[in-house]
Amino acid sequence: MQIRTILPEEFEPARLLLAANDWGPRVADSEIFRTLLGRSQIALVAVEGTQVIGFLRAITDGMFNGYISMVVVDEGHRGRGVGTALVRAAVGDNREITWVLRAGRTGVSAFYEKLGFTPSEVAMERPGERR
């Protein structure tokens, strides 16, 4: 398995992986997804051979703050460290950066806690409308 920056020819396989894992309307349009990736500082894939088996998207200033927006691993590859490798590659070694995310899917909190994330008492959000 290799973790690396997504290539343009992998945009569609990554979008389809998200769609297959209930990411809904946010990934329904390939052009919107392409624009989303273009505006993200971090867009990584986990690949095995030529198959995209995982994807992560994040935004960050690279100094103090980062936000992990999307993480998905192909169902057949879960439990093998793919998600862990994606998150570790995204957050890197800079301990000055505070990384945040929304752990809204069932069962994901324990995954992120193993990677050093803790529930926050200070985070607030203004939710956007979902289409």
Side-chain angles (χ1 to χ4, degrees):
M1 174 187 66
Q2 181 185 20
I3 305 293
R4 59 171 167 70
T5 300
I6 194 169
L7 301 173
E9 60 268 22
E10 294 165 332
F11 289 5
E12 186 63 5
R15 186 186 73 79
L16 293 173
L17 179 60
L18 286 159
N21 286 276
D22 299 322
W23 280 82
R26 292 184 287 167
V27 298
D29 184 295
S30 60
E31 286 306 310
I32 290 174
F33 186 67
R34 183 174 293 277
T35 301
L36 187 69
L37 293 181
R39 295 181 181 183
S40 303
Q41 289 85 7
I42 299 172
L44 303 174
V45 287
V47 293
E48 204 168 68
T50 59
Q51 181 186 4
V52 172
I53 60 170
F55 170 77
L56 178 145
R57 182 182 84 85
I59 53 178
T60 181
D61 58 24
M63 296 169 55
F64 302 111
N65 299 293
Y67 172 67
I68 296 174
S69 176
M70 297 175 156
V71 179
V72 65
V73 174
D74 177 74
E75 189 173 355
H77 292 86
R78 291 181 189 158
R80 299 183 187 176
V82 177
T84 297
L86 283 164
V87 172
R88 286 188 175 150
V91 302
D93 296 327
N94 185 343
R95 303 294 293 170
E96 292 184 5
I97 298 176
T98 296
W99 286 92
V100 297
L101 55 89
R102 293 178 66 205
R105 293 178 181 257
T106 304
V108 300
S109 292
F111 167 76
Y112 288 110
E113 286 172 3
K114 290 178 186 174
L115 293 168
F117 287 81
T118 58
S120 174
E121 296 177 15
V122 297
M124 296 180 71
E125 68 177 358
R126 182 181 141 215
E129 293 182 15
R130 298 284 184 226
R131 298 181 215 177

